[in-house]
């Protein structure tokens, strides 16, 4: 006993078959008129296609040649003068097909479809190519044979004679500015090209400048860092022989106002300066003889030396026994270098600026 759906389907088919006129001209018209919905009565496209399965297999160049040499229908200037297809609109189906047309159903295609008969002009595409040996030709390489079945090589029989060859979609009298455009390479187009090139260059230069500026500003130290890197010290409160300590860039800086005896002792040892670990004379260490300004960090392991101590009376690091003289030169112990000298300048006789 048939279900109501099957009975309705057959009734629709019968009614539609009565309305279809005998088909004399059959270019690109559908063969099947069944409902376009998934059911057990619809055969796969390889078995019962919903289009006329007659195609010409040629190269695109040959198809273009056929179009150029084919006898065309008369040129018309109004849509009402177009010829009427004897087959009607191939996309008009009852049911779902009225608004959605899909003549190839990949879901219902069998795993191994029927091999198309190329000699009869049957279309070979998709599963009918990849799942059959229709492409195989023992007389040529496989890659050449497969390439022949590219979609652009197939055209329906009668395509050259019946396919619309539209020359314009703009009716006469409608301005579409085609006549106003200058051809590419025309001399009058050059000013515009030059203007666009210059404008693009200016915009690109501005973008590069902005990006470079942002990058430099990102890497640039903050103002508080600059402020912390420059310290001015008033030298008037420092007594003769006193070792004054200030903080500069989170490091202790020793500022010693040397006595004449300290200066004479350091100048006396200048003769043996070349034999020291880091050779330097007293004049190279002190811009003004009475002032020694050095960073109070031991060059061995970063300890803070003690002033007025050690074998040379200058500085002594008790951690590992490094000895420095009154010029901050390493004289004994593991310290590899002299005490580091910070960048400084005397603003006047009573002020020095560090950094």
């Amino acid at each position: 006993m048939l279900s109501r759906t099957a009975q309705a389907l057959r009734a629709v088919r019968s009614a539609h078959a009565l309305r279809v006129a005998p088909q004399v001209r059959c270019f690109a018209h559908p063969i099947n008129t069944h409902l376009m919905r998934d059911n057990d009565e619809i055969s796969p496209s390889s078995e019962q296609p919903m289009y006329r399965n007659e195609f010409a297999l040629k190269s695109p160049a040959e198809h273009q040649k056929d179009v150029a040499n084919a006898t065309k229908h008369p040129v018309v200037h109004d849509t009402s003068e177009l010829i009427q297809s004897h087959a009607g609109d191939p996309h008009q189906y009852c049911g779902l097909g009225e608004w959605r047309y899909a003549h190839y159903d990949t879901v219902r295609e069998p795993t191994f479809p029927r091999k198309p008969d190329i000699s009869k002009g049957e279309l070979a595409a998709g599963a009918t190519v990849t799942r059959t040996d229709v492409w195989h030709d023992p007389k040529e390489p496989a890659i050449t044979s497969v390439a022949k079945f590219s979609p652009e090589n197939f055209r329906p029989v009668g395509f050259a004679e019946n396919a619309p060859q539209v020359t314009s979609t703009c009716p006469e009298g409608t301005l579409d500015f085609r006549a106003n455009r200058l051809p590419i390479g025309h001399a009058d187009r050059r000013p515009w090209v030059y203007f666009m090139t210059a404008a693009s260059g200016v915009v690109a230069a501005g973008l590069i400048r902005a990006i470079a500026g942002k990058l430099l500003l990102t890497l640039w130290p903050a103002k508080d860092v600059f402020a912390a890197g420059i310290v001015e010290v008033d030298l008037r409160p420092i007594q003769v022989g006193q070792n004054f300590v200030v903080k500069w860039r989170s490091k202790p800086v020793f500022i010693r106002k040397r006595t004449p005896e300290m200066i004479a002792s350091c100048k006396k040892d200048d003769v043996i300066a070349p034999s020291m670990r880091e050779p330097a004379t007293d004049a190279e260490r002190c811009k003004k003889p009475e002032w020694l300004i050095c960073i109070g960090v031991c060059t061995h392991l970063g300890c803070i030396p003690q002033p007025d101590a050690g074998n040379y009376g200058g500085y002594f690091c008790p951690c590992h026994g490094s000895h420095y003289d009154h010029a901050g030169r390493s004289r004994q112990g593991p310290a590899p270098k002299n005490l580091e000298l910070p960048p400084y300048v005397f603003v006047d006789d009573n002020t020095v600026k560090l950094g």
Side-chain angles (χ1 to χ4, degrees):
M1 182 176 181
L2 296 175
S3 63
R4 293 183 179 180
T5 304
Q7 292 177 359
L9 175 62
R10 290 189 175 182
V12 171
R13 283 185 175 179
S14 300
H16 188 71
L18 294 175
R19 294 196 303 266
V20 175
Q23 298 177 354
V24 179
R25 181 179 174 183
C26 51
F27 165 70
H29 82 280
I31 295 177
N32 304 317
T33 56
H34 53 68
L35 286 174
M36 295 185 61
R37 60 182 181 179
D38 191 10
N39 60 68
D40 295 335
E41 297 186 9
I42 297 180
S43 302
S45 181
S46 60
E47 298 293 337
Q48 191 177 7
M50 301 175 69
Y51 50 86
R52 183 182 180 186
N53 198 4
E54 292 184 16
F55 291 81
L57 177 57
K58 298 179 181 180
S59 66
E62 292 175 328
H63 285 303
Q64 292 295 334
K65 185 177 180 181
D66 291 344
V67 171
N69 299 331
T71 302
K72 304 292 193 311
H73 295 283
V75 177
V76 298
H77 300 281
D78 190 85
T79 56
S80 61
E81 300 176 2
L82 292 172
I83 64 171
Q84 298 296 323
S85 173
H86 300 306
D89 189 347
H91 300 90
Q92 292 298 325
Y93 293 91
C94 55
L96 181 64
E98 292 182 357
W99 62 84
R100 183 177 184 274
Y101 175 70
H103 63 259
Y104 191 78
D105 192 348
T106 58
V107 177
R108 298 186 52 79
E109 196 66 41
T111 303
F112 298 102
R114 181 182 63 85
K115 178 180 177 180
D117 191 349
I118 302 299
S119 62
K120 295 181 180 180
E122 294 183 350
L123 176 65
T128 57
V129 175
T130 59
R131 299 179 184 176
T132 65
D133 60 349
V134 65
W135 56 268
H136 180 65
D137 188 349
K139 299 179 182 179
E140 60 185 5
I143 190 172
T144 304
S145 301
V146 173
K148 291 180 180 179
F149 292 87
S150 182
E152 64 268 14
N153 294 332
F154 285 92
R155 292 289 185 276
V157 174
F159 175 86
E161 295 79 7
N162 297 279
Q165 302 294 329
V166 180
T167 58
S168 175
T169 58
C170 183
E172 294 294 334
T174 301
L175 183 62
D176 62 353
F177 299 100
R178 285 182 296 177
N180 298 353
R181 297 186 185 130
L182 294 174
I184 297 177
H186 195 279
D188 292 341
R189 291 173 60 101
R190 293 179 183 175
W192 172 251
V193 174
Y194 295 156
F195 169 76
M196 290 302 299
T197 303
S200 302
V202 171
V203 173
L207 291 176
I208 294 174
R209 176 186 175 277
I211 294 174
K214 291 293 184 181
L215 180 60
L216 291 177
L217 291 177
T218 302
L219 302 177
W220 203 260
K223 292 184 177 180
D224 57 345
V225 176
F226 276 113
I230 300 177
V231 177
E232 290 189 0
V233 182
D234 187 3
L235 302 178
R236 289 175 293 182
I238 304 176
Q239 303 297 321
V240 177
Q242 180 184 358
N243 186 79
F244 187 75
V245 182
V246 298
K247 185 179 180 181
W248 175 75
R249 294 183 181 178
S250 301
K251 297 179 181 179
V253 175
F254 294 160
I255 301 178
R256 180 188 286 273
K257 190 173 184 179
R258 301 192 298 177
T259 63
E261 291 78 10
M262 295 177 182
I263 299 173
S265 174
C266 291
K267 290 184 176 295
K268 179 180 178 182
D269 291 338
D270 284 347
V271 294
I272 60 173
S275 63
M276 297 180 184
R277 293 183 179 178
E278 187 177 5
T281 62
D282 183 72
E284 294 173 345
R285 299 281 299 173
C286 303
K287 295 182 179 181
K288 289 186 176 183
E290 67 272 19
W291 293 104
L292 169 64
I293 301 176
C294 61
I295 297 177
V297 177
C298 181
T299 58
H300 178 220
L301 293 178
C303 304
I304 299 179
Q306 300 296 324
D308 302 318
N311 296 337
Y312 296 87
Y315 301 95
F316 173 68
C317 181
C319 299
H320 300 92
S322 297
H323 299 260
Y324 303 90
D325 60 13
H326 291 292
R329 295 177 293 194
S330 177
R331 303 296 298 273
Q332 187 179 348
K337 295 183 179 181
N338 303 332
L339 292 179
E340 185 181 355
L341 300 179
Y344 66 93
V345 61
F346 287 95
V347 179
D348 51 39
D349 293 338
N350 298 318
T351 306
V352 62
K353 182 171 69 174
L354 302 177

